[in-house]
Amino acid sequence: MIEYIIRRVLYTIPTILGVMLLTFVLFFMVTSPENMAKRQLGKNPTPELVNNWLKSHGYDKPRFINLPFDADYKADAPWWDSQFTNHMRSTLLFQFGNSDANGEDIGERIQKGAWPSFLIAFPALVISLIVALSASLIIALYRGSYLDWGGIFICVGLMSIPILVYIIAGQWLLGLILRYFPVFGFADGADSLRFVLLPVVLGVVTALGASVRFYRTVMLDEIGQDYARTARAKGLSERVVLFKHVLKNAMIPVLTAVVADLPLIILGNVLLENFFGIPGLGNLTIVAINEYDFALLRALVFLGSILYVFALLLTDISYTLVDPRVRLN
Amino acid sequence: MIKIYSTFKKIPWTSIVISALFLITGCSNYPYPRDPLNPDGTQKIIWYQSLEEDPRTLDPQVAYDTVSAQVLFNINEPLLQYNYLKRQSFELQPLLAEGIPQRVPRAGGGETFIVKIKKGIRYSDDPCFVGGKGRELITDDFIYALKRIADPHIKTPTASPVYEPMAAVILGMTEFYETAQKAGTTDYTRAIDGLEKVDNYTLKIHLKSPYPQLKYWMALNFFAPVPAEAVAYYDGLEHDGVRRDQFMFHPVGTGPFKLKQWERNSNLILTRNENYHGATYPSSADPGTPAKLLEDAGKPLPFIDEARFSIIREAIPVWTLFRQGYIDSLGRAARRQGDTIQQVLSNNGSLTEEMTKSGVTLEYVPLLSTDYIAFNMRDSVVGSNKKLRQAISMAYDIDRFIDFFYNGVKLKAESLIPPGIYGYDKDYKNPYRILDVAKAKQLMKEAGYADGIDPKTGTPLTLEVVYQARGPESQREAQYIQEQFSALGIKANIKLVTFAEMLNIYDSGRFQLTRSGWFADYPDPENFLFLFYSKNSGIINTSRYNNPEYDRLFLQMQNMEDSPERLALIQRMRQILDEDCATIYTFHDAYYVLNQGWTEHVLQHPVAFDLLKYYKVDPKLREQKQQEWNQPNYLFVLALAGLLTAAVIPVALSRRDSL
């Protein structure tokens, strides 16, 4: 297993490098360092000011490689001294540097944003998991009844509605009409609870449709297995069959779905955070895009790719824990 | 023991936890931390508003956007200010200056502005000062601030409209800029010839040529003094294990407020400056000003203790918070609420009965701005064919555009100068902005494009219109342009671009037609007529308009005080511009603002941003209304719970096997 983990960790290196390269290429396909400079320098900057900005942020160097064919070639610099290699090196060393937009320390901003994102995403993930598993088990228990059909109908309905509609309708109904929750804002400490409740409720509701439907299918697959029939034949109650036998065997697809969502605990939910004013990393991603802040964006993408790669590794390892038949080699 | 465990298991813990959470939160939709008290135990009077984004910077020499200005002007004061209650003809008043600066001619040409600074004004207390106590404002602070305008290593909006006009008139400013650029660093001990310190309270600004508009610059943030120790102290680096802010995040000024907290991407709080020099509510106003607005004449400012700005990028939460009574005024953010505000207006343009009953008031805010579609005068097709431009201008229906996209709120533009600026004539009708498609078709024929057919190709004339993509409405606006051009048989290809690309296109001139416009920095016709001065070709003179007579008249007009002679020149310049049709004038911007009933004398201003000090709020009435409007309704939850139970019980009861 150790060997497997080492091999998987090594696989992450080309994956992350690929993500970084893709981010770099895509970002500069959409805009240019000169456009970034103009965005940061306001209306009508002089060419000198643009050049000063490019120089101070390292965007005056060749894009990928410092060779004489490049218009920005610097004779006194080594061949590897380019925008891409410099960005890549500092990011891989977790030296995120300062924001291109306002010079703030990116590491500090990420640290500050991680907690508010966690406060929304973690409870939403846990509650939606509990609710979805319970609902799917209940639906499986009453399979074929109107509860089953009604449940599926509601799930399809929930899945078909875009998240933005939930947010707008949630703010209107639960904030403005029923007046239960604040629709915007955030506070530190215990006071943060009332600000995270509505985003968490909406996070749970938006996740329910797809997960209940998926878990129901998994449960129904398992319910029909021989071991479930044997358990019932032994005289076990349906509750014990479901919770002790079926649920345990359904854990592999459940884990796959849940662990893939783990990075979101840190990375946050872009739309929810934006509409509710939660100063998390999802919100920060929007700021980075709006402000053409490549330094901030590349740090967030890097963090995201690392979290995803390690979440997937964690999924594989967790399989061995829930199913002794699985071996990692 | 087993019994206890079994009982424990039966308790519906999940329900208890959820109920407890509901109880803890008290089911309140109040969106702020509870109001803190003043040091003397009294309730703080807080003003609540939203900003559509974080201020880009709070550095007075750098900020050049309205969001930053809404905050910054309340912290950093310039030399002069506008009378809050005079908008029919704007009136400059001394703020940090002792009287309006005197203009005296200089030997050998040019002129000198003699600026007397009020004595005894102190900066707000801040750790950057010795002992943390704000020191007195002196002439050196103004000289330092003006040197910062000429520093190529900070992000001052260089070129036009800030550095270039200053460098063009203030002696020695260009040399200061160029020396700093060459050296790669700026030496602030180096003098600028045009900035002379007479004593601690007198500054002389020597100009190469007369420039009466300098008085308006003295009311802008670029002329706000800056203590050099604050710039040095707030360097963004770590000192003794604590990272300091950058200066752009930590302004230090003499204004009525100082920055208390700025949680980027979340909120920004201003609190009273303990060292504020004091100012009083204006006693003079435009004729016809409601008496209520003058009730507090002569009273000391400011009226509020704190201002809390929530940073809200989306329009929907702002509107919801306003409806709940948690925002005192929509302020400038109302510009993004056009459609929503329209829903609370009745057919006669007044507020609906429901809104009126809740005490909300409506303010119509015309801005000093002009929006237009610019022709590229260097383009071989549109630039060289005046009749073609005139034809397009005559066929473009702006009234329908304003009705359709802006609910009729904006004002149709007949010419360049907007209402409120000297030279605007409300009775003037631009002969080429009168909608007349038949006449436009005749002009097309005369232009060599009968029925819109390009004789060279035998196909419809195709023009490219570059348009900035601001949101979904940009696509619809682009379609509207296509429809209007098609009335003349012209095919319009719309190129939607980002803001940065738009700046590049303005800069390079790679377009045939593009949308452009201008918001006044100050209320002088020069600030609009310079948009077509040939030497400003580029981002300012987007059209690349070049008319020697216009240029000559502009140079003559810009140095004159308002007078019949100046008015005659302005009218002639308008005539030249309108005849040449370098642009299709579209509209002068305007918007509605809603204010809550517990606010008093809350007005927007077209060019001034130091408004918080005039705002007044009745916190008791606010609290009462908030409670009245935000009582939680529990029936829904009970009904939902009942519904779910009703859905589950029949099927649960119908199970025969034991669970």
Side-chain angles (χ1 to χ4, degrees), chain A residues 83-134:
Chain A
Q83 289 180 37
F84 179 67
T85 49
N86 288 343
H87 286 309
M88 186 75 98
R89 191 180 56 230
S90 53
T91 309
L92 289 176
L93 293 172
F94 286 85
Q95 293 167 350
F96 297 136
N98 296 331
S99 149
D100 282 337
N102 58 24
E104 275 193 299
D105 186 274
I106 291 172
E108 279 179 18
R109 289 189 84 175
I110 289 177
Q111 271 179 11
K112 260 190 199 170
W115 177 242
S117 288
F118 178 84
L119 277 181
I120 305 290
F122 182 70
L125 183 71
V126 172
I127 297 171
S128 66
L129 179 65
I130 294 169
V131 175
L133 278 176
S134 314

Short mmCIF file of all heavy atoms in Angstrom, two decimals, chain A residues 83-134:
data_model
loop_
_atom_site.label_atom_id
_atom_site.label_comp_id
_atom_site.label_asym_id
_atom_site.label_seq_id
_atom_site.Cartn_x
_atom_site.Cartn_y
_atom_site.Cartn_z
N GLN A 83 8.28 34.10 -17.67
CA GLN A 83 7.10 34.28 -16.81
C GLN A 83 6.60 32.94 -16.28
O GLN A 83 6.34 32.78 -15.09
CB GLN A 83 5.97 34.93 -17.62
CG GLN A 83 6.20 36.37 -17.98
CD GLN A 83 5.03 36.91 -18.79
OE1 GLN A 83 3.89 36.57 -18.57
NE2 GLN A 83 5.34 37.76 -19.75
N PHE A 84 6.49 31.96 -17.20
CA PHE A 84 5.89 30.69 -16.80
C PHE A 84 6.75 29.97 -15.76
O PHE A 84 6.24 29.53 -14.73
CB PHE A 84 5.69 29.79 -18.03
CG PHE A 84 5.09 28.46 -17.67
CD1 PHE A 84 3.79 28.37 -17.20
CD2 PHE A 84 5.83 27.29 -17.78
CE1 PHE A 84 3.24 27.16 -16.84
CE2 PHE A 84 5.29 26.07 -17.42
CZ PHE A 84 3.99 26.00 -16.95
N THR A 85 8.06 29.88 -16.02
CA THR A 85 8.90 29.14 -15.07
C THR A 85 8.95 29.85 -13.71
O THR A 85 8.93 29.20 -12.67
CB THR A 85 10.34 28.95 -15.61
OG1 THR A 85 10.80 30.21 -16.07
CG2 THR A 85 10.40 27.92 -16.71
N ASN A 86 8.97 31.17 -13.75
CA ASN A 86 9.01 31.89 -12.46
C ASN A 86 7.72 31.70 -11.67
O ASN A 86 7.75 31.46 -10.46
CB ASN A 86 9.25 33.39 -12.69
CG ASN A 86 10.67 33.64 -13.13
OD1 ASN A 86 11.53 32.79 -12.96
ND2 ASN A 86 10.93 34.79 -13.74
N HIS A 87 6.59 31.78 -12.39
CA HIS A 87 5.31 31.57 -11.72
C HIS A 87 5.24 30.16 -11.17
O HIS A 87 4.82 29.91 -10.05
CB HIS A 87 4.15 31.80 -12.68
CG HIS A 87 3.91 33.24 -12.97
ND1 HIS A 87 3.77 34.17 -11.98
CD2 HIS A 87 3.78 33.91 -14.13
CE1 HIS A 87 3.58 35.35 -12.53
NE2 HIS A 87 3.59 35.22 -13.83
N MET A 88 5.62 29.21 -12.04
CA MET A 88 5.54 27.80 -11.68
C MET A 88 6.40 27.51 -10.45
O MET A 88 5.96 26.85 -9.51
CB MET A 88 6.03 26.99 -12.88
CG MET A 88 5.88 25.52 -12.72
SD MET A 88 4.18 25.07 -12.92
CE MET A 88 4.23 24.55 -14.61
N ARG A 89 7.64 28.02 -10.49
CA ARG A 89 8.57 27.71 -9.40
C ARG A 89 8.03 28.24 -8.07
O ARG A 89 7.94 27.52 -7.08
CB ARG A 89 9.94 28.34 -9.70
CG ARG A 89 11.03 27.86 -8.75
CD ARG A 89 12.37 28.50 -9.07
NE ARG A 89 12.30 29.96 -9.05
CZ ARG A 89 12.77 30.74 -10.03
NH1 ARG A 89 13.31 30.22 -11.10
NH2 ARG A 89 12.68 32.05 -9.93
N SER A 90 7.63 29.53 -8.09
CA SER A 90 7.19 30.10 -6.82
C SER A 90 5.91 29.42 -6.31
O SER A 90 5.76 29.20 -5.12
CB SER A 90 6.99 31.61 -6.94
OG SER A 90 6.14 31.87 -8.02
N THR A 91 5.03 29.05 -7.24
CA THR A 91 3.79 28.40 -6.80
C THR A 91 4.07 27.03 -6.22
O THR A 91 3.55 26.67 -5.16
CB THR A 91 2.80 28.28 -7.98
OG1 THR A 91 2.69 29.55 -8.59
CG2 THR A 91 1.43 27.82 -7.51
N LEU A 92 4.91 26.26 -6.91
CA LEU A 92 5.21 24.91 -6.42
C LEU A 92 5.91 24.94 -5.06
O LEU A 92 5.81 24.00 -4.28
CB LEU A 92 6.08 24.15 -7.44
CG LEU A 92 5.35 23.73 -8.72
CD1 LEU A 92 6.30 23.07 -9.70
CD2 LEU A 92 4.19 22.79 -8.42
N LEU A 93 6.62 26.03 -4.81
CA LEU A 93 7.28 26.17 -3.51
C LEU A 93 6.34 26.81 -2.47
O LEU A 93 6.77 27.19 -1.39
CB LEU A 93 8.55 27.03 -3.64
CG LEU A 93 9.67 26.41 -4.48
CD1 LEU A 93 10.78 27.42 -4.72
CD2 LEU A 93 10.23 25.16 -3.80
N PHE A 94 5.08 26.94 -2.86
CA PHE A 94 4.06 27.56 -1.99
C PHE A 94 4.40 29.00 -1.64
O PHE A 94 3.98 29.52 -0.62
CB PHE A 94 3.84 26.74 -0.71
CG PHE A 94 3.07 25.47 -0.95
CD1 PHE A 94 3.71 24.32 -1.36
CD2 PHE A 94 1.69 25.45 -0.81
CE1 PHE A 94 3.00 23.16 -1.62
CE2 PHE A 94 0.96 24.29 -1.07
CZ PHE A 94 1.63 23.13 -1.47
N GLN A 95 5.21 29.64 -2.51
CA GLN A 95 5.49 31.07 -2.33
C GLN A 95 4.54 31.81 -3.25
O GLN A 95 4.88 32.11 -4.39
CB GLN A 95 6.94 31.38 -2.68
CG GLN A 95 7.93 30.75 -1.72
CD GLN A 95 9.36 30.78 -2.26
OE1 GLN A 95 9.59 31.11 -3.42
NE2 GLN A 95 10.30 30.43 -1.41
N PHE A 96 3.35 32.08 -2.74
CA PHE A 96 2.33 32.65 -3.62
C PHE A 96 2.58 34.13 -3.91
O PHE A 96 2.01 34.69 -4.83
CB PHE A 96 0.94 32.47 -2.99
CG PHE A 96 0.55 31.03 -2.83
CD1 PHE A 96 -0.02 30.57 -1.67
CD2 PHE A 96 0.79 30.12 -3.85
CE1 PHE A 96 -0.38 29.24 -1.52
CE2 PHE A 96 0.44 28.78 -3.72
CZ PHE A 96 -0.14 28.33 -2.54
N GLY A 97 3.40 34.76 -3.12
CA GLY A 97 3.74 36.17 -3.37
C GLY A 97 2.59 37.11 -3.10
O GLY A 97 1.71 36.82 -2.29
N ASN A 98 2.60 38.23 -3.83
CA ASN A 98 1.59 39.26 -3.60
C ASN A 98 0.61 39.35 -4.76
O ASN A 98 0.95 39.03 -5.90
CB ASN A 98 2.26 40.62 -3.41
CG ASN A 98 3.13 40.63 -2.16
OD1 ASN A 98 2.85 39.91 -1.19
ND2 ASN A 98 4.20 41.39 -2.18
N SER A 99 -0.58 39.82 -4.42
CA SER A 99 -1.63 39.96 -5.42
C SER A 99 -1.20 40.95 -6.51
O SER A 99 -0.59 41.98 -6.23
CB SER A 99 -2.89 40.46 -4.71
OG SER A 99 -3.66 41.25 -5.55
N ASP A 100 -1.55 40.63 -7.77
CA ASP A 100 -1.25 41.56 -8.87
C ASP A 100 -2.12 42.81 -8.77
O ASP A 100 -1.75 43.87 -9.25
CB ASP A 100 -1.55 40.87 -10.22
CG ASP A 100 -0.45 39.90 -10.61
OD1 ASP A 100 0.69 40.05 -10.12
OD2 ASP A 100 -0.73 38.99 -11.41
N ALA A 101 -3.28 42.67 -8.14
CA ALA A 101 -4.21 43.80 -8.12
C ALA A 101 -3.87 44.82 -7.03
O ALA A 101 -3.90 46.02 -7.28
CB ALA A 101 -5.64 43.30 -7.93
N ASN A 102 -3.57 44.35 -5.82
CA ASN A 102 -3.38 45.33 -4.76
C ASN A 102 -2.16 45.04 -3.88
O ASN A 102 -1.99 45.69 -2.85
CB ASN A 102 -4.64 45.46 -3.89
CG ASN A 102 -5.04 44.13 -3.28
OD1 ASN A 102 -4.20 43.25 -3.11
ND2 ASN A 102 -6.30 43.98 -2.95
N GLY A 103 -1.35 44.08 -4.28
CA GLY A 103 -0.09 43.85 -3.58
C GLY A 103 -0.23 43.14 -2.24
O GLY A 103 0.74 42.96 -1.53
N GLU A 104 -1.44 42.70 -1.89
CA GLU A 104 -1.62 42.00 -0.62
C GLU A 104 -0.98 40.62 -0.66
O GLU A 104 -0.93 39.99 -1.72
CB GLU A 104 -3.12 41.85 -0.33
CG GLU A 104 -3.71 43.04 0.33
CD GLU A 104 -5.09 42.73 0.87
OE1 GLU A 104 -5.96 42.38 0.07
OE2 GLU A 104 -5.29 42.84 2.07
N ASP A 105 -0.57 40.13 0.51
CA ASP A 105 0.04 38.81 0.60
C ASP A 105 -1.03 37.74 0.32
O ASP A 105 -2.03 37.65 1.04
CB ASP A 105 0.62 38.64 2.01
CG ASP A 105 1.41 37.36 2.11
OD1 ASP A 105 0.80 36.30 2.39
OD2 ASP A 105 2.63 37.40 1.90
N ILE A 106 -0.78 36.95 -0.71
CA ILE A 106 -1.80 35.98 -1.13
C ILE A 106 -1.98 34.87 -0.09
O ILE A 106 -3.10 34.44 0.20
CB ILE A 106 -1.45 35.39 -2.51
CG1 ILE A 106 -1.60 36.49 -3.57
CG2 ILE A 106 -2.33 34.20 -2.87
CD1 ILE A 106 -1.11 36.12 -4.94
N GLY A 107 -0.87 34.43 0.49
CA GLY A 107 -0.94 33.38 1.51
C GLY A 107 -1.86 33.80 2.65
O GLY A 107 -2.71 33.01 3.09
N GLU A 108 -1.73 35.06 3.07
CA GLU A 108 -2.58 35.55 4.17
C GLU A 108 -4.04 35.60 3.75
O GLU A 108 -4.94 35.26 4.54
CB GLU A 108 -2.13 36.95 4.60
CG GLU A 108 -0.94 36.91 5.53
CD GLU A 108 -0.48 38.32 5.93
OE1 GLU A 108 -1.25 39.28 5.80
OE2 GLU A 108 0.69 38.42 6.37
N ARG A 109 -4.28 36.02 2.51
CA ARG A 109 -5.67 36.12 2.03
C ARG A 109 -6.30 34.72 1.98
O ARG A 109 -7.47 34.55 2.31
CB ARG A 109 -5.73 36.75 0.65
CG ARG A 109 -5.43 38.23 0.67
CD ARG A 109 -5.70 38.87 -0.66
NE ARG A 109 -7.11 39.24 -0.79
CZ ARG A 109 -7.60 39.91 -1.83
NH1 ARG A 109 -6.80 40.28 -2.80
NH2 ARG A 109 -8.86 40.22 -1.88
N ILE A 110 -5.50 33.74 1.55
CA ILE A 110 -6.04 32.38 1.47
C ILE A 110 -6.32 31.85 2.87
O ILE A 110 -7.36 31.23 3.12
CB ILE A 110 -5.06 31.47 0.68
CG1 ILE A 110 -5.09 31.86 -0.80
CG2 ILE A 110 -5.42 29.99 0.86
CD1 ILE A 110 -4.15 31.12 -1.69
N GLN A 111 -5.39 32.12 3.78
CA GLN A 111 -5.60 31.68 5.17
C GLN A 111 -6.88 32.28 5.75
O GLN A 111 -7.68 31.61 6.38
CB GLN A 111 -4.43 32.12 6.03
CG GLN A 111 -3.31 31.10 6.05
CD GLN A 111 -2.14 31.59 6.90
OE1 GLN A 111 -2.26 32.58 7.61
NE2 GLN A 111 -1.03 30.92 6.79
N LYS A 112 -7.05 33.59 5.48
CA LYS A 112 -8.23 34.29 6.01
C LYS A 112 -9.52 33.74 5.41
O LYS A 112 -10.55 33.65 6.08
CB LYS A 112 -8.14 35.78 5.66
CG LYS A 112 -7.64 36.65 6.77
CD LYS A 112 -7.86 38.09 6.36
CE LYS A 112 -7.01 39.02 7.17
NZ LYS A 112 -7.04 40.38 6.61
N GLY A 113 -9.46 33.41 4.10
CA GLY A 113 -10.68 32.99 3.40
C GLY A 113 -11.06 31.54 3.67
O GLY A 113 -12.20 31.16 3.46
N ALA A 114 -10.09 30.73 4.11
CA ALA A 114 -10.36 29.29 4.25
C ALA A 114 -11.42 29.02 5.33
O ALA A 114 -12.28 28.17 5.16
CB ALA A 114 -9.07 28.55 4.55
N TRP A 115 -11.35 29.76 6.43
CA TRP A 115 -12.25 29.50 7.55
C TRP A 115 -13.72 29.79 7.20
O TRP A 115 -14.59 28.93 7.41
CB TRP A 115 -11.80 30.27 8.79
CG TRP A 115 -12.71 30.12 9.97
CD1 TRP A 115 -13.39 31.12 10.60
CD2 TRP A 115 -13.06 28.92 10.67
NE1 TRP A 115 -14.13 30.62 11.63
CE2 TRP A 115 -13.96 29.26 11.70
CE3 TRP A 115 -12.71 27.58 10.51
CZ2 TRP A 115 -14.50 28.34 12.57
CZ3 TRP A 115 -13.26 26.64 11.38
CH2 TRP A 115 -14.13 27.02 12.40
N PRO A 116 -14.03 30.99 6.65
CA PRO A 116 -15.43 31.22 6.26
C PRO A 116 -15.94 30.18 5.26
O PRO A 116 -17.08 29.73 5.36
CB PRO A 116 -15.40 32.62 5.63
CG PRO A 116 -14.20 33.27 6.21
CD PRO A 116 -13.20 32.18 6.44
N SER A 117 -15.08 29.77 4.32
CA SER A 117 -15.50 28.75 3.35
C SER A 117 -15.81 27.45 4.07
O SER A 117 -16.81 26.77 3.79
CB SER A 117 -14.41 28.49 2.32
OG SER A 117 -14.30 29.57 1.46
N PHE A 118 -14.94 27.10 5.02
CA PHE A 118 -15.12 25.86 5.79
C PHE A 118 -16.44 25.91 6.56
O PHE A 118 -17.18 24.92 6.61
CB PHE A 118 -13.94 25.71 6.76
CG PHE A 118 -14.04 24.49 7.64
CD1 PHE A 118 -13.62 23.25 7.17
CD2 PHE A 118 -14.54 24.58 8.92
CE1 PHE A 118 -13.72 22.12 7.98
CE2 PHE A 118 -14.65 23.47 9.73
CZ PHE A 118 -14.23 22.23 9.26
N LEU A 119 -16.73 27.08 7.13
CA LEU A 119 -17.95 27.22 7.94
C LEU A 119 -19.23 26.95 7.14
O LEU A 119 -20.25 26.55 7.69
CB LEU A 119 -18.03 28.63 8.52
CG LEU A 119 -17.26 28.88 9.80
CD1 LEU A 119 -17.47 30.32 10.25
CD2 LEU A 119 -17.71 27.93 10.90
N ILE A 120 -19.17 27.22 5.85
CA ILE A 120 -20.34 26.96 4.99
C ILE A 120 -20.27 25.53 4.45
O ILE A 120 -21.23 24.76 4.54
CB ILE A 120 -20.37 27.93 3.78
CG1 ILE A 120 -20.30 29.37 4.22
CG2 ILE A 120 -21.58 27.66 2.89
CD1 ILE A 120 -21.52 29.87 4.90
N ALA A 121 -19.12 25.21 3.88
CA ALA A 121 -19.04 23.97 3.10
C ALA A 121 -19.05 22.71 3.97
O ALA A 121 -19.66 21.72 3.60
CB ALA A 121 -17.79 24.00 2.22
N PHE A 122 -18.40 22.75 5.13
CA PHE A 122 -18.32 21.53 5.94
C PHE A 122 -19.68 21.12 6.49
O PHE A 122 -20.13 19.98 6.28
CB PHE A 122 -17.29 21.71 7.05
CG PHE A 122 -17.12 20.47 7.89
CD1 PHE A 122 -16.51 19.34 7.35
CD2 PHE A 122 -17.58 20.42 9.19
CE1 PHE A 122 -16.37 18.18 8.10
CE2 PHE A 122 -17.45 19.27 9.95
CZ PHE A 122 -16.83 18.15 9.40
N PRO A 123 -20.40 22.03 7.19
CA PRO A 123 -21.73 21.62 7.66
C PRO A 123 -22.64 21.22 6.51
O PRO A 123 -23.40 20.27 6.63
CB PRO A 123 -22.29 22.87 8.37
CG PRO A 123 -21.15 23.78 8.54
CD PRO A 123 -20.08 23.41 7.58
N ALA A 124 -22.55 21.95 5.38
CA ALA A 124 -23.42 21.62 4.24
C ALA A 124 -23.12 20.20 3.77
O ALA A 124 -24.05 19.43 3.47
CB ALA A 124 -23.21 22.62 3.11
N LEU A 125 -21.83 19.85 3.72
CA LEU A 125 -21.45 18.52 3.24
C LEU A 125 -21.95 17.44 4.21
O LEU A 125 -22.56 16.44 3.80
CB LEU A 125 -19.93 18.44 3.10
CG LEU A 125 -19.38 17.14 2.54
CD1 LEU A 125 -19.70 17.01 1.06
CD2 LEU A 125 -17.88 17.05 2.74
N VAL A 126 -21.70 17.65 5.49
CA VAL A 126 -22.06 16.64 6.50
C VAL A 126 -23.58 16.48 6.56
O VAL A 126 -24.11 15.36 6.50
CB VAL A 126 -21.50 17.04 7.89
CG1 VAL A 126 -22.03 16.11 8.96
CG2 VAL A 126 -19.98 17.01 7.86
N ILE A 127 -24.29 17.64 6.64
CA ILE A 127 -25.75 17.55 6.77
C ILE A 127 -26.36 16.94 5.51
O ILE A 127 -27.23 16.08 5.58
CB ILE A 127 -26.37 18.94 7.07
CG1 ILE A 127 -25.85 19.44 8.42
CG2 ILE A 127 -27.89 18.88 7.07
CD1 ILE A 127 -26.21 20.87 8.73
N SER A 128 -25.85 17.38 4.35
CA SER A 128 -26.45 16.84 3.12
C SER A 128 -26.17 15.34 3.03
O SER A 128 -27.02 14.59 2.55
CB SER A 128 -25.95 17.57 1.88
OG SER A 128 -24.59 17.35 1.70
N LEU A 129 -25.02 14.89 3.53
CA LEU A 129 -24.72 13.45 3.50
C LEU A 129 -25.70 12.69 4.40
O LEU A 129 -26.28 11.69 3.99
CB LEU A 129 -23.27 13.22 3.97
CG LEU A 129 -22.83 11.77 4.00
CD1 LEU A 129 -22.80 11.19 2.59
CD2 LEU A 129 -21.44 11.64 4.64
N ILE A 130 -25.87 13.21 5.62
CA ILE A 130 -26.77 12.54 6.56
C ILE A 130 -28.20 12.52 6.02
O ILE A 130 -28.86 11.47 5.97
CB ILE A 130 -26.73 13.24 7.95
CG1 ILE A 130 -25.35 13.07 8.57
CG2 ILE A 130 -27.82 12.69 8.87
CD1 ILE A 130 -25.10 13.92 9.79
N VAL A 131 -28.65 13.69 5.57
CA VAL A 131 -30.03 13.79 5.07
C VAL A 131 -30.21 12.92 3.83
O VAL A 131 -31.20 12.18 3.70
CB VAL A 131 -30.41 15.26 4.78
CG1 VAL A 131 -31.78 15.36 4.14
CG2 VAL A 131 -30.37 16.07 6.06
N ALA A 132 -29.23 12.97 2.93
CA ALA A 132 -29.37 12.22 1.67
C ALA A 132 -29.37 10.72 1.94
O ALA A 132 -30.17 9.98 1.36
CB ALA A 132 -28.25 12.60 0.71
N LEU A 133 -28.48 10.28 2.82
CA LEU A 133 -28.43 8.84 3.13
C LEU A 133 -29.73 8.40 3.81
O LEU A 133 -30.30 7.37 3.44
CB LEU A 133 -27.24 8.53 4.05
CG LEU A 133 -25.88 8.38 3.35
CD1 LEU A 133 -24.78 8.18 4.37
CD2 LEU A 133 -25.90 7.23 2.36
N SER A 134 -30.19 9.19 4.77
CA SER A 134 -31.42 8.83 5.46
C SER A 134 -32.59 8.80 4.49
O SER A 134 -33.37 7.84 4.47
CB SER A 134 -31.73 9.84 6.57
OG SER A 134 -30.58 10.09 7.31
#
